[in-house]
């Protein structure tokens, strides 16, 4: 099938690349002309493991093209995926101006029947508005439109594998023809008919993805409800960590045992610095606002946000307790991306921690396996190093802010030698406290006994 993708960010590139790899013909477009130039030069504007190979193969096979001419993309696609950003407004509501802008382009340029699919995360009832907008903006062109919702559940860092092996594909439709078109688009994924870039030579046996057909409003709600629930799990684990610190428990023992209950499950129960990124924080805010505007008090989500924001305050309290005064102290930071295997720093808790350290006069030296380039555009006054051992050299404290496996695998005895004071504050509970103590570190994490007898400034 001929597909258009509007918006070449994480979701647009993964959707366009993977659907082209699966055999469809795709044209992707973006208002950011520099981004299209980068893509046309064979490079990716984002770091996402496996995506470069996917897009390159699809381009060479002639199934994937990039253009800054949105009209070309819109005319080409029988189905059009909207993958533009929906960032938070000051109020917490989702900013839907990019969606409106896309509706205007599609309405004006379509010329023939199109299935318009929301893949961006949007509040319930956006589909309704989109249908009206397409009718208004397209009234002189005479083209007919169907609207569908197909929320995306990929996780940055494992997005390609997630796209090819989803647990579920949700399609919100209002007519049988749209359902049929979406089944056809996803047929290669549902039937396992694609070259899997993640598993070679064959994919592990597993159940086929569930293909769930819902109303448009339900599909929109499913995405916000899922992300909000994930945030809730993380905040719950973080509250348990606080309680463990007061009562002498170990949050890992508690959450591990909880997670063995299949009704609870082990994922998203890791205590630490809290969640960030472009999805969870803004989706929870938008869901909360949606509920409020419709007269539903979803107060528990306000609490999820509050607990999450407090993680950074609590972590800085730990840093201050250990280091006393921060001014002029050499503080090393490992990890800036909001999570491992991505260079995405949007709403990354680590970036906020660094800003606050700088605000208190600390001298920050930082590293990240892939996010330094992006971080250096938003953090002035930080010394960046590719090599984590350079960050440790002469540092009076080392802060672990993103759980990159590379940091777990460091030669910690060498790190100890490099540091001016062997103090590690692990905001992601990555390292075993007993081993860190055995190596001679002062070591602090969240909700686990510190086992440290070294002096702490109280
Ligand atoms: N990043 C994720 O992990 C993820 C996962 C699931 C869902 N989502 C949702 O998908 C949507 C996109 O997220 P993203 O992370 O890919 O965002 P992004 O910011 O990386 O990409 C958005 C792209 O859209 C382009 N754009 C904006 N307005 C445009 C317009 N009018 N026409 C054409 N292009 C336009 C931007 O230039 C940008 O390249 C959001 O709603 C997000 O909540 C994101």
């Amino acid at each position: 099938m001929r597909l258009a993708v509007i918006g070449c960010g994480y979701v647009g590139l993964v959707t366009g690349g993977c659907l082209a790899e699966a055999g469809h013909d795709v044209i992707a477009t973006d208002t950011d002309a520099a981004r299209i130039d980068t893509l046309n030069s064979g490079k990716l504007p984002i770091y996402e493991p496996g995506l470069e190979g996917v897009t390159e193969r699809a381009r060479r096979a002639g199934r994937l093209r990039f253009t800054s001419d949105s009209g070309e993309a819109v005319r080409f696609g029988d189905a059009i995926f909207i993958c533009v950003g929906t960032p938070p407004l000051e109020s917490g509501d989702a900013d839907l101006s990019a969606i409106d802008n896309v509706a205007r382009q599609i309405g004006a340029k379509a010329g023939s029947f199109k299935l318009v699919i929301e893949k961006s995360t949007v509040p319930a009832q956006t589909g309704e508005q989109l249908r009206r907008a397409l009718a208004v903006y397209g009234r002189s062109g005479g083209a007919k439109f169907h609207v569908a919702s197909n929320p995306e559940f990929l996780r940055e860092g494992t997005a390609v594998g997630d796209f090819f092996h989803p647990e579920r594909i949700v399609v919100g439709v209002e007519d049988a023809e749209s359902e049929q078109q979406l089944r056809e688009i996803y047929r290669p994924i549902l039937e396992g008919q694609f070259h899997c870039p993640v598993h070679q030579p064959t994919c592990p046996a597993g159940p086929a993805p569930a293909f769930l057909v819902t109303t448009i409003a339900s599909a929109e709600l499913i995405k916000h409800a899922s992300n909000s629930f994930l945030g809730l799990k993380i905040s719950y684990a973080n509250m348990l960590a606080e309680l463990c610190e007061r009562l002498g428990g170990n949050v890992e023992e508690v959450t591990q045992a909880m997670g063995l209950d299949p009704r609870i499950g082990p994922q998203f129960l890791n205590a630490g610095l809290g969640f960030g990124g472009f999805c969870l924080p803004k989706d929870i805010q938008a869901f909360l606002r949606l509920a409020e505007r419709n007269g539903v008090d979803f107060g528990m989500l306000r609490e999820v946000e509050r607990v999450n924001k407090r993680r950074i305050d609590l972590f800085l309290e730990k840093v201050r307790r250990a280091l006393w005064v921060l001014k002029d102290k050499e503080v090393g930071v490992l990890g800036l991306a909001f999570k491992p295997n991505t260079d995405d720093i949007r709403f990354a808790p680590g970036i906020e921690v660094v800003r606050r350290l700088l605000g208190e006069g600390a001298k920050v030296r930082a590293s990240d396996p892939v996010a330094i380039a992006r971080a250096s555009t938003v953090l002035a006054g930080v010394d960046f190093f590719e090599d984590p051992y350079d960050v440790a050299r002469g540092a009076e404290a080392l802060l672990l802010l993103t759980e990159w496996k590379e940091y777990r695998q460091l030669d910690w005895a060498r790190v100890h030698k490099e540091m001016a004071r062997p103090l590690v504050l692990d905001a992601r509970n990555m390292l075993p406290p007993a081993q860190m103590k055995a190596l001679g570190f002062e070591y602090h994490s969240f909700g686990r006994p510190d086992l440290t007898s070294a002096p702490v400034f109280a």
Side-chain angles (χ1 to χ4, degrees):
M1 196 182 288
R2 286 153 58 118
L3 307 176
V5 169
I6 305 196
C8 294
Y10 286 86
V11 169
L13 288 173
V14 172
T15 302
C18 294
L19 287 176
E21 173 88 44
H24 297 294
D25 290 316
V26 180
I27 296 190
T29 186
D30 199 292
T31 40
D32 182 344
R35 191 161 267 245
I36 295 297
D37 287 346
T38 303
L39 288 161
N40 278 331
S41 72
K43 298 201 194 85
L44 281 188
I46 56 168
Y47 173 84
E48 181 59 45
L51 186 57
E52 199 157 351
V54 168
T55 47
E56 196 40 45
R57 256 192 315 281
R59 268 157 50 94
R60 275 207 305 270
R63 287 199 301 270
L64 177 62
R65 280 189 290 138
F66 299 101
T67 177
S68 7
D69 177 359
S70 62
E72 184 189 1
V74 166
R75 284 188 298 276
F76 177 83
D78 300 318
I80 301 172
F81 282 92
I82 302 180
C83 302
V84 297
T86 48
L89 291 167
E90 197 74 1
S91 61
D93 286 298
D95 179 352
L96 299 175
S97 55
I99 305 269
D100 179 57
N101 182 291
V102 170
R104 195 181 287 274
Q105 293 170 53
I106 298 175
K109 295 169 182 168
S112 60
F113 171 77
K114 307 286 173 190
L115 172 62
V116 180
I117 305 160
E118 309 166 341
K119 203 168 234 329
S120 301
T121 302
V122 291
Q125 297 184 335
T126 302
E128 186 71 29
Q129 297 291 355
L130 180 60
R131 194 163 45 74
R132 282 198 211 129
L134 287 165
V136 171
Y137 297 140
R139 64 186 178 281
S140 54
K144 291 271 175 294
F145 302 99
H146 282 169
V147 169
S149 166
N150 171 220
E152 183 50 61
F153 299 101
L154 64 78
R155 296 157 300 173
E156 287 179 24
T158 53
V160 173
D162 292 344
F163 197 92
F164 283 119
H165 298 290
E167 290 88 19
R168 76 286 207 206
I169 294 168
V170 174
V171 298
V173 292
E174 43 193 20
D175 60 281
E177 195 183 342
S178 302
E179 176 188 337
Q180 214 33 55
Q181 267 180 289
L182 279 153
R183 273 189 198 279
E184 191 52 31
I185 291 170
Y186 281 107
R187 196 170 46 79
I189 311 263
L190 292 166
E191 294 177 359
Q193 302 294 331
F194 53 85
H195 165 92
C196 180
V198 181
H199 308 107
Q200 296 298 335
T202 48
C203 302
F211 190 83
L212 301 173
V213 183
T214 69
T215 62
I216 293 180
S218 291
E220 292 165 335
L221 281 164
I222 286 166
K223 176 65 191 177
H224 268 152
S226 302
N227 274 2
S228 298
F229 194 75
L230 293 174
L232 188 142
K233 275 187 97 178
I234 295 173
S235 282
Y236 193 88
N238 281 329
M239 285 311 302
L240 293 178
E242 270 190 60
L243 210 48
C244 284
E245 286 180 18
R246 301 288 162 89
L247 302 176
N250 181 335
V251 72
E252 272 175 355
E253 292 172 353
V254 176
T255 53
Q256 191 195 4
M258 284 172 64
L260 289 172
D261 182 334
R263 294 170 303 176
I264 298 175
Q267 309 238 37
F268 280 70
L269 279 181
N270 298 329
L273 195 54
F275 54 81
F278 190 52
C279 290
L280 259 53
K282 79 166 173 60
D283 290 352
I284 292 173
Q285 272 181 30
F287 205 31
L288 196 47
R289 287 287 299 140
L290 178 73
E292 262 169 21
R293 271 189 289 100
N294 288 278
V296 176
D297 183 0
F298 212 152
M300 73 169 73
L301 290 184
R302 217 168 292 121
E303 200 51 27
V304 168
E305 275 192 303
R306 195 181 66 81
V307 170
N308 194 54
K309 285 197 182 119
R310 202 174 60 222
R311 300 313 289 168
I312 294 178
D313 301 335
L314 290 175
F315 183 65
L316 285 160
E317 263 314 306
K318 282 178 190 285
V319 177
R320 279 185 218 105
R321 265 206 306 275
L323 267 181
W324 189 29
V325 173
L326 294 187
K327 189 161 171 15
D328 294 332
K329 296 260 164 78
E330 290 278 348
V331 178
V333 162
L334 296 182
L336 297 160
F338 86 93
K339 66 173 187 175
N341 299 319
T342 180
D343 61 350
D344 198 345
I345 54 161
R346 292 176 290 182
F347 303 101
I351 297 287
E352 181 60 19
V353 168
V354 172
R355 283 202 183 108
R356 302 246 207 125
L357 293 170
L358 292 170
E360 294 193 34
K363 295 181 184 161
V364 180
R365 15 190 329 112
S367 188
D368 187 283
V370 295
I372 291 178
R374 281 180 194 255
S376 61
T377 64
V378 298
L379 292 175
V382 172
D383 286 328
F384 293 100
F385 298 89
E386 294 290 338
D387 186 341
Y389 296 105
D390 288 337
V391 170
R393 190 158 306 129
E396 292 166 84
L398 198 56
L399 276 42
L400 283 164
L401 303 184
T402 313
E403 61 272 45
W404 284 96
K405 78 170 180 333
E406 285 83 342
Y407 297 149
R408 218 171 260 130
Q409 293 164 353
L410 286 176
D411 175 351
W412 282 95
R414 178 174 164 203
V415 171
H416 187 283
K417 281 199 203 100
E418 298 282 5
M419 293 183 72
R421 173 179 168 188
L423 166 65
V424 171
L425 292 118
D426 179 355
R428 298 293 182 181
N429 285 5
M430 291 172 66
L431 302 169
Q435 276 179 33
M436 295 304 280
K437 186 185 179 195
L439 287 168
F441 282 101
E442 292 172 56
Y443 174 81
H444 305 280
S445 56
F446 277 121
R448 306 185 301 173
D450 284 337
L451 305 176
T452 180
S453 52
V456 171
F457 296 109

